[in-house]
Short mmCIF file of all heavy atoms in Angstrom, two decimals:
data_model
loop_
_atom_site.label_atom_id
_atom_site.label_comp_id
_atom_site.label_asym_id
_atom_site.label_seq_id
_atom_site.Cartn_x
_atom_site.Cartn_y
_atom_site.Cartn_z
N MET A 21 0.83 -1.18 0.00
CA MET A 21 0.00 0.00 0.00
C MET A 21 0.88 1.26 0.00
O MET A 21 0.58 2.21 -0.69
CB MET A 21 -0.94 -0.01 1.20
CG MET A 21 -1.86 1.17 1.16
SD MET A 21 -3.00 1.51 2.51
CE MET A 21 -3.40 0.02 3.27
N VAL A 22 1.95 1.24 0.77
CA VAL A 22 2.83 2.40 0.85
C VAL A 22 3.50 2.65 -0.49
O VAL A 22 3.54 3.78 -0.98
CB VAL A 22 3.89 2.20 1.95
CG1 VAL A 22 4.91 3.33 1.93
CG2 VAL A 22 3.24 2.09 3.30
N LEU A 23 4.01 1.58 -1.11
CA LEU A 23 4.66 1.72 -2.40
C LEU A 23 3.67 2.21 -3.46
O LEU A 23 3.99 3.11 -4.24
CB LEU A 23 5.28 0.40 -2.83
CG LEU A 23 6.01 0.40 -4.16
CD1 LEU A 23 7.15 1.40 -4.14
CD2 LEU A 23 6.51 -0.98 -4.50
N ALA A 24 2.47 1.66 -3.46
CA ALA A 24 1.45 2.08 -4.42
C ALA A 24 1.13 3.56 -4.26
O ALA A 24 0.99 4.28 -5.24
CB ALA A 24 0.20 1.23 -4.26
N LYS A 25 1.03 4.02 -3.01
CA LYS A 25 0.74 5.44 -2.76
C LYS A 25 1.89 6.32 -3.25
O LYS A 25 1.66 7.34 -3.89
CB LYS A 25 0.50 5.70 -1.28
CG LYS A 25 0.17 7.17 -1.01
CD LYS A 25 -0.14 7.42 0.42
CE LYS A 25 -0.46 8.85 0.77
NZ LYS A 25 -0.18 9.89 -0.15
N CYS A 26 3.13 5.90 -2.98
CA CYS A 26 4.28 6.69 -3.43
C CYS A 26 4.31 6.79 -4.95
O CYS A 26 4.57 7.85 -5.51
CB CYS A 26 5.58 6.06 -2.94
SG CYS A 26 5.88 6.34 -1.20
N LEU A 27 4.06 5.68 -5.61
CA LEU A 27 4.07 5.69 -7.07
C LEU A 27 2.90 6.50 -7.63
O LEU A 27 3.05 7.23 -8.61
CB LEU A 27 4.04 4.26 -7.61
CG LEU A 27 5.30 3.45 -7.33
CD1 LEU A 27 5.11 2.01 -7.81
CD2 LEU A 27 6.53 4.07 -7.96
N LYS A 28 1.73 6.40 -7.00
CA LYS A 28 0.57 7.16 -7.46
C LYS A 28 0.81 8.66 -7.27
O LYS A 28 0.46 9.46 -8.14
CB LYS A 28 -0.68 6.74 -6.69
CG LYS A 28 -1.93 7.43 -7.18
CD LYS A 28 -3.15 6.96 -6.42
CE LYS A 28 -4.37 7.71 -6.89
NZ LYS A 28 -5.55 7.39 -6.12
N ASP A 29 1.40 9.06 -6.15
CA ASP A 29 1.68 10.46 -5.88
C ASP A 29 2.63 11.05 -6.91
O ASP A 29 2.61 12.24 -7.18
CB ASP A 29 2.28 10.65 -4.49
CG ASP A 29 1.27 10.41 -3.39
OD1 ASP A 29 0.06 10.35 -3.68
OD2 ASP A 29 1.69 10.28 -2.23
N ARG A 30 3.49 10.22 -7.47
CA ARG A 30 4.50 10.69 -8.42
C ARG A 30 4.15 10.36 -9.87
O ARG A 30 4.98 10.45 -10.75
CB ARG A 30 5.86 10.10 -8.05
CG ARG A 30 6.42 10.77 -6.81
CD ARG A 30 7.28 9.84 -6.00
NE ARG A 30 7.77 10.44 -4.77
CZ ARG A 30 7.07 10.50 -3.65
NH1 ARG A 30 5.88 10.02 -3.59
NH2 ARG A 30 7.56 11.06 -2.57
N GLN A 31 2.92 9.94 -10.09
CA GLN A 31 2.48 9.56 -11.43
C GLN A 31 2.63 10.74 -12.39
O GLN A 31 2.24 11.87 -12.10
CB GLN A 31 1.03 9.12 -11.39
CG GLN A 31 0.55 8.47 -12.66
CD GLN A 31 -0.85 7.88 -12.48
OE1 GLN A 31 -1.53 8.17 -11.52
NE2 GLN A 31 -1.24 7.06 -13.41
N GLY A 32 3.25 10.47 -13.53
CA GLY A 32 3.44 11.50 -14.54
C GLY A 32 4.69 12.34 -14.34
O GLY A 32 4.99 13.21 -15.14
N ARG A 33 5.42 12.09 -13.27
CA ARG A 33 6.65 12.84 -13.00
C ARG A 33 7.87 11.95 -13.24
O ARG A 33 7.78 10.73 -13.18
CB ARG A 33 6.69 13.31 -11.55
CG ARG A 33 5.61 14.30 -11.21
CD ARG A 33 5.91 14.87 -9.85
NE ARG A 33 4.66 14.99 -9.11
CZ ARG A 33 4.58 15.10 -7.81
NH1 ARG A 33 5.66 15.09 -7.08
NH2 ARG A 33 3.43 15.22 -7.22
N VAL A 34 8.99 12.57 -13.44
CA VAL A 34 10.25 11.85 -13.58
C VAL A 34 10.69 11.40 -12.19
O VAL A 34 10.57 12.14 -11.22
CB VAL A 34 11.33 12.76 -14.21
CG1 VAL A 34 12.67 12.04 -14.26
CG2 VAL A 34 10.91 13.20 -15.59
N LEU A 35 11.17 10.16 -12.10
CA LEU A 35 11.66 9.67 -10.81
C LEU A 35 12.96 10.37 -10.47
O LEU A 35 13.96 10.22 -11.14
CB LEU A 35 11.89 8.15 -10.88
CG LEU A 35 10.67 7.28 -11.16
CD1 LEU A 35 11.08 5.82 -11.24
CD2 LEU A 35 9.63 7.47 -10.08
N GLU A 36 12.92 11.17 -9.41
CA GLU A 36 14.10 11.94 -9.03
C GLU A 36 15.18 11.05 -8.41
O GLU A 36 16.35 11.32 -8.52
CB GLU A 36 13.74 13.10 -8.10
CG GLU A 36 13.11 12.70 -6.79
CD GLU A 36 11.61 12.47 -6.84
OE1 GLU A 36 10.98 12.71 -7.88
OE2 GLU A 36 11.08 12.02 -5.83
N ASN A 37 14.78 10.00 -7.74
CA ASN A 37 15.74 9.08 -7.13
C ASN A 37 15.20 7.66 -7.28
O ASN A 37 14.59 7.12 -6.37
CB ASN A 37 15.94 9.43 -5.66
CG ASN A 37 17.05 8.61 -5.03
OD1 ASN A 37 17.69 7.81 -5.70
ND2 ASN A 37 17.27 8.81 -3.74
N PRO A 38 15.45 7.03 -8.43
CA PRO A 38 14.86 5.70 -8.68
C PRO A 38 15.34 4.62 -7.71
O PRO A 38 14.67 3.61 -7.54
CB PRO A 38 15.29 5.36 -10.10
CG PRO A 38 16.14 6.45 -10.59
CD PRO A 38 16.20 7.52 -9.55
N VAL A 39 16.45 4.82 -7.04
CA VAL A 39 16.94 3.84 -6.06
C VAL A 39 16.01 3.77 -4.87
O VAL A 39 15.87 2.73 -4.22
CB VAL A 39 18.38 4.21 -5.61
CG1 VAL A 39 18.87 3.31 -4.51
CG2 VAL A 39 19.32 4.16 -6.80
N CYS A 40 15.32 4.83 -4.59
CA CYS A 40 14.44 4.92 -3.43
C CYS A 40 13.24 3.97 -3.54
O CYS A 40 12.82 3.39 -2.54
CB CYS A 40 13.94 6.36 -3.29
SG CYS A 40 12.80 6.64 -1.95
N TYR A 41 12.70 3.75 -4.71
CA TYR A 41 11.46 2.99 -4.87
C TYR A 41 11.61 1.51 -4.54
O TYR A 41 10.76 0.96 -3.84
CB TYR A 41 10.87 3.23 -6.25
CG TYR A 41 10.46 4.68 -6.38
CD1 TYR A 41 11.31 5.61 -6.95
CD2 TYR A 41 9.27 5.11 -5.84
CE1 TYR A 41 10.96 6.94 -7.01
CE2 TYR A 41 8.91 6.45 -5.88
CZ TYR A 41 9.75 7.36 -6.48
OH TYR A 41 9.41 8.66 -6.52
N PRO A 42 12.66 0.82 -4.97
CA PRO A 42 12.83 -0.57 -4.51
C PRO A 42 13.02 -0.66 -2.99
O PRO A 42 12.57 -1.61 -2.36
CB PRO A 42 14.08 -1.06 -5.24
CG PRO A 42 14.21 -0.17 -6.42
CD PRO A 42 13.63 1.15 -6.00
N GLN A 43 13.66 0.34 -2.41
CA GLN A 43 13.85 0.34 -0.96
C GLN A 43 12.51 0.49 -0.25
O GLN A 43 12.27 -0.14 0.78
CB GLN A 43 14.80 1.46 -0.54
CG GLN A 43 16.22 1.24 -1.00
CD GLN A 43 17.12 2.44 -0.75
OE1 GLN A 43 16.65 3.55 -0.50
NE2 GLN A 43 18.41 2.22 -0.82
N ILE A 44 11.63 1.32 -0.78
CA ILE A 44 10.30 1.48 -0.20
C ILE A 44 9.54 0.16 -0.29
O ILE A 44 8.88 -0.26 0.66
CB ILE A 44 9.51 2.62 -0.90
CG1 ILE A 44 10.16 3.97 -0.59
CG2 ILE A 44 8.05 2.61 -0.47
CD1 ILE A 44 9.62 5.11 -1.41
N GLY A 45 9.63 -0.50 -1.43
CA GLY A 45 8.96 -1.79 -1.61
C GLY A 45 9.48 -2.84 -0.63
O GLY A 45 8.71 -3.59 -0.03
N THR A 46 10.79 -2.89 -0.47
CA THR A 46 11.40 -3.83 0.46
C THR A 46 10.96 -3.54 1.89
O THR A 46 10.61 -4.45 2.66
CB THR A 46 12.93 -3.78 0.36
OG1 THR A 46 13.31 -4.08 -0.98
CG2 THR A 46 13.59 -4.75 1.31
N ALA A 47 10.96 -2.28 2.26
CA ALA A 47 10.56 -1.89 3.61
C ALA A 47 9.09 -2.22 3.87
O ALA A 47 8.74 -2.71 4.95
CB ALA A 47 10.81 -0.40 3.83
N ALA A 48 8.24 -1.98 2.89
CA ALA A 48 6.81 -2.27 3.06
C ALA A 48 6.58 -3.78 3.21
O ALA A 48 5.80 -4.21 4.06
CB ALA A 48 6.02 -1.73 1.87
N THR A 49 7.29 -4.57 2.42
CA THR A 49 7.17 -6.02 2.52
C THR A 49 7.65 -6.52 3.87
O THR A 49 7.02 -7.36 4.51
CB THR A 49 7.97 -6.70 1.39
OG1 THR A 49 7.47 -6.23 0.14
CG2 THR A 49 7.85 -8.21 1.45
N ARG A 50 8.77 -5.98 4.32
CA ARG A 50 9.33 -6.39 5.62
C ARG A 50 8.39 -5.99 6.76
O ARG A 50 8.22 -6.73 7.72
CB ARG A 50 10.70 -5.74 5.81
CG ARG A 50 11.41 -6.18 7.03
CD ARG A 50 11.83 -7.63 6.95
NE ARG A 50 12.50 -7.99 8.18
CZ ARG A 50 12.30 -9.12 8.83
NH1 ARG A 50 11.51 -10.02 8.33
NH2 ARG A 50 12.91 -9.36 9.95
N LYS A 51 7.75 -4.85 6.61
CA LYS A 51 6.81 -4.39 7.64
C LYS A 51 5.64 -5.37 7.78
O LYS A 51 5.23 -5.70 8.89
CB LYS A 51 6.29 -3.00 7.29
CG LYS A 51 5.31 -2.44 8.28
CD LYS A 51 4.84 -1.06 7.88
CE LYS A 51 3.82 -0.52 8.84
NZ LYS A 51 3.33 0.80 8.45
N VAL A 52 5.13 -5.84 6.66
CA VAL A 52 4.02 -6.79 6.69
C VAL A 52 4.46 -8.10 7.35
O VAL A 52 3.74 -8.67 8.17
CB VAL A 52 3.49 -7.05 5.26
CG1 VAL A 52 2.51 -8.21 5.23
CG2 VAL A 52 2.84 -5.79 4.71
N THR A 53 5.68 -8.55 7.03
CA THR A 53 6.21 -9.77 7.62
C THR A 53 6.37 -9.62 9.13
O THR A 53 5.98 -10.50 9.91
CB THR A 53 7.57 -10.13 6.99
OG1 THR A 53 7.39 -10.26 5.58
CG2 THR A 53 8.12 -11.42 7.54
N LEU A 54 6.96 -8.51 9.55
CA LEU A 54 7.16 -8.27 10.98
C LEU A 54 5.84 -8.15 11.72
O LEU A 54 5.71 -8.60 12.85
CB LEU A 54 8.01 -7.02 11.20
CG LEU A 54 9.47 -7.16 10.82
CD1 LEU A 54 10.17 -5.80 10.91
CD2 LEU A 54 10.17 -8.17 11.70
N ARG A 55 4.85 -7.54 11.08
CA ARG A 55 3.54 -7.39 11.71
C ARG A 55 2.92 -8.77 11.97
O ARG A 55 2.35 -9.02 13.04
CB ARG A 55 2.62 -6.55 10.83
CG ARG A 55 1.27 -6.30 11.48
CD ARG A 55 0.40 -5.42 10.62
NE ARG A 55 0.96 -4.09 10.57
CZ ARG A 55 0.72 -3.22 9.60
NH1 ARG A 55 -0.09 -3.53 8.61
NH2 ARG A 55 1.26 -2.03 9.61
N ALA A 56 3.06 -9.67 11.02
CA ALA A 56 2.52 -11.03 11.19
C ALA A 56 3.24 -11.76 12.32
O ALA A 56 2.62 -12.45 13.14
CB ALA A 56 2.64 -11.81 9.89
N GLU A 57 4.56 -11.61 12.39
CA GLU A 57 5.33 -12.23 13.47
C GLU A 57 4.94 -11.65 14.82
O GLU A 57 4.81 -12.38 15.80
CB GLU A 57 6.82 -12.06 13.22
CG GLU A 57 7.34 -12.84 12.03
CD GLU A 57 8.79 -12.55 11.71
OE1 GLU A 57 9.47 -11.84 12.50
OE2 GLU A 57 9.25 -13.02 10.66
N ARG A 58 4.77 -10.35 14.87
CA ARG A 58 4.37 -9.69 16.12
C ARG A 58 3.00 -10.18 16.57
O ARG A 58 2.79 -10.47 17.74
CB ARG A 58 4.34 -8.17 15.91
CG ARG A 58 3.92 -7.41 17.16
CD ARG A 58 3.41 -6.04 16.85
NE ARG A 58 2.20 -6.13 16.07
CZ ARG A 58 1.67 -5.13 15.38
NH1 ARG A 58 2.25 -3.96 15.36
NH2 ARG A 58 0.55 -5.29 14.70
N ASP A 59 2.07 -10.29 15.63
CA ASP A 59 0.73 -10.75 15.98
C ASP A 59 0.76 -12.17 16.53
O ASP A 59 0.04 -12.49 17.47
CB ASP A 59 -0.18 -10.68 14.76
CG ASP A 59 -0.50 -9.24 14.36
OD1 ASP A 59 -0.23 -8.31 15.16
OD2 ASP A 59 -0.99 -9.04 13.22
N ALA A 60 1.63 -13.02 15.97
CA ALA A 60 1.75 -14.39 16.47
C ALA A 60 2.28 -14.41 17.90
O ALA A 60 1.82 -15.19 18.74
CB ALA A 60 2.65 -15.21 15.55
N VAL A 61 3.23 -13.54 18.20
CA VAL A 61 3.78 -13.46 19.56
C VAL A 61 2.71 -12.98 20.53
O VAL A 61 2.54 -13.54 21.62
CB VAL A 61 5.02 -12.54 19.60
CG1 VAL A 61 5.43 -12.24 21.04
CG2 VAL A 61 6.17 -13.17 18.84
N TYR A 62 1.96 -11.97 20.15
CA TYR A 62 0.89 -11.47 21.03
C TYR A 62 -0.17 -12.54 21.28
O TYR A 62 -0.65 -12.69 22.40
CB TYR A 62 0.23 -10.21 20.45
CG TYR A 62 1.03 -8.96 20.69
CD1 TYR A 62 1.32 -8.09 19.65
CD2 TYR A 62 1.49 -8.63 21.95
CE1 TYR A 62 2.06 -6.93 19.87
CE2 TYR A 62 2.22 -7.48 22.19
CZ TYR A 62 2.49 -6.63 21.14
OH TYR A 62 3.22 -5.50 21.35
N GLN A 63 -0.52 -13.28 20.26
CA GLN A 63 -1.51 -14.34 20.44
C GLN A 63 -0.99 -15.41 21.38
O GLN A 63 -1.72 -15.93 22.22
CB GLN A 63 -1.89 -14.95 19.09
CG GLN A 63 -2.73 -14.04 18.24
CD GLN A 63 -3.01 -14.60 16.86
OE1 GLN A 63 -2.47 -15.63 16.49
NE2 GLN A 63 -3.83 -13.91 16.09
N ALA A 64 0.30 -15.74 21.25
CA ALA A 64 0.90 -16.74 22.15
C ALA A 64 0.92 -16.22 23.58
O ALA A 64 0.68 -16.97 24.53
CB ALA A 64 2.31 -17.09 21.68
N MET A 65 1.21 -14.93 23.74
CA MET A 65 1.22 -14.34 25.07
C MET A 65 -0.16 -14.39 25.70
O MET A 65 -0.32 -14.72 26.87
CB MET A 65 1.73 -12.90 25.02
CG MET A 65 3.20 -12.78 24.80
SD MET A 65 3.76 -11.08 24.56
CE MET A 65 3.15 -10.26 26.01
N GLU A 66 -1.18 -14.04 24.92
CA GLU A 66 -2.54 -14.03 25.44
C GLU A 66 -2.99 -15.43 25.82
O GLU A 66 -3.75 -15.61 26.77
CB GLU A 66 -3.49 -13.42 24.42
CG GLU A 66 -3.30 -11.93 24.26
CD GLU A 66 -4.15 -11.36 23.13
OE1 GLU A 66 -4.84 -12.13 22.42
OE2 GLU A 66 -4.12 -10.14 22.95
N ALA A 67 -2.53 -16.43 25.09
CA ALA A 67 -2.92 -17.81 25.37
C ALA A 67 -2.09 -18.42 26.49
O ALA A 67 -2.36 -19.51 26.96
CB ALA A 67 -2.78 -18.66 24.11
N GLY A 68 -1.04 -17.70 26.93
CA GLY A 68 -0.20 -18.18 28.01
C GLY A 68 0.87 -19.16 27.55
O GLY A 68 1.64 -19.66 28.35
N ARG A 69 0.96 -19.43 26.25
CA ARG A 69 1.94 -20.39 25.75
C ARG A 69 3.35 -19.84 25.80
O ARG A 69 4.30 -20.56 26.06
CB ARG A 69 1.59 -20.80 24.32
CG ARG A 69 0.30 -21.57 24.22
CD ARG A 69 0.10 -22.08 22.81
NE ARG A 69 0.30 -21.06 21.80
CZ ARG A 69 -0.65 -20.47 21.10
NH1 ARG A 69 -1.89 -20.82 21.29
NH2 ARG A 69 -0.38 -19.58 20.18
N LEU A 70 3.50 -18.56 25.56
CA LEU A 70 4.84 -17.96 25.52
C LEU A 70 5.47 -17.98 26.91
O LEU A 70 6.64 -18.30 27.06
CB LEU A 70 4.77 -16.55 24.97
CG LEU A 70 6.10 -15.87 24.69
CD1 LEU A 70 6.85 -16.63 23.60
CD2 LEU A 70 5.90 -14.45 24.25
N LEU A 71 4.69 -17.68 27.93
CA LEU A 71 5.19 -17.65 29.29
C LEU A 71 5.68 -19.04 29.71
O LEU A 71 6.70 -19.17 30.36
CB LEU A 71 4.11 -17.14 30.24
CG LEU A 71 4.55 -16.93 31.68
CD1 LEU A 71 5.69 -15.94 31.75
CD2 LEU A 71 3.38 -16.45 32.51
N GLU A 72 4.95 -20.07 29.31
CA GLU A 72 5.36 -21.44 29.66
C GLU A 72 6.71 -21.78 29.04
O GLU A 72 7.52 -22.47 29.64
CB GLU A 72 4.30 -22.43 29.17
CG GLU A 72 2.98 -22.30 29.91
CD GLU A 72 1.89 -23.11 29.25
OE1 GLU A 72 2.16 -23.80 28.25
OE2 GLU A 72 0.74 -23.04 29.71
N LYS A 73 6.98 -21.31 27.83
CA LYS A 73 8.24 -21.61 27.15
C LYS A 73 9.40 -20.87 27.79
O LYS A 73 10.50 -21.38 27.85
CB LYS A 73 8.15 -21.24 25.68
CG LYS A 73 7.23 -22.13 24.90
CD LYS A 73 7.18 -21.73 23.44
CE LYS A 73 6.21 -22.62 22.68
NZ LYS A 73 6.14 -22.27 21.28
N VAL A 74 9.17 -19.68 28.32
CA VAL A 74 10.21 -18.88 28.93
C VAL A 74 10.61 -19.47 30.28
O VAL A 74 11.78 -19.55 30.63
CB VAL A 74 9.77 -17.41 29.09
CG1 VAL A 74 10.79 -16.62 29.87
CG2 VAL A 74 9.52 -16.79 27.73
N ILE A 75 9.63 -19.89 31.05
CA ILE A 75 9.88 -20.44 32.39
C ILE A 75 10.31 -21.85 32.22
O ILE A 75 11.16 -22.46 32.40
CB ILE A 75 8.63 -20.40 33.28
CG1 ILE A 75 8.21 -18.96 33.48
CG2 ILE A 75 8.87 -21.07 34.59
CD1 ILE A 75 6.92 -18.81 34.23
#
């Protein structure tokens, strides 16, 4: 979504720094991956499974 917004905002313009766009895509993908991992940890914490593994 972030990459799509950046590209849409710059539609019809010359890319001033084309190296930036793959980095935005990589960061957005990594953010989605980290969010899924974070959600799994929170669910484990709520279920009490994570605490059992630590102790």
Side-chain angles (χ1 to χ4, degrees):
M21 184 185 332
V22 173
L23 181 60
K25 181 177 179 347
C26 285
L27 292 175
K28 184 179 177 185
D29 289 347
R30 287 150 183 83
Q31 191 172 14
R33 295 190 221 161
V34 176
L35 298 178
E36 61 276 354
N37 187 2
V39 174
C40 178
Y41 295 95
Q43 292 172 344
I44 292 170
T46 301
T49 302
R50 185 68 181 137
K51 180 180 178 181
V52 170
T53 303
L54 289 173
R55 183 177 292 157
E57 292 174 8
R58 179 201 65 196
D59 290 346
V61 169
Y62 280 130
Q63 288 175 354
M65 286 174 55
E66 289 174 356
R69 294 187 311 253
L70 188 63
L71 186 59
E72 293 170 2
K73 291 180 182 180
V74 174
I75 298 175

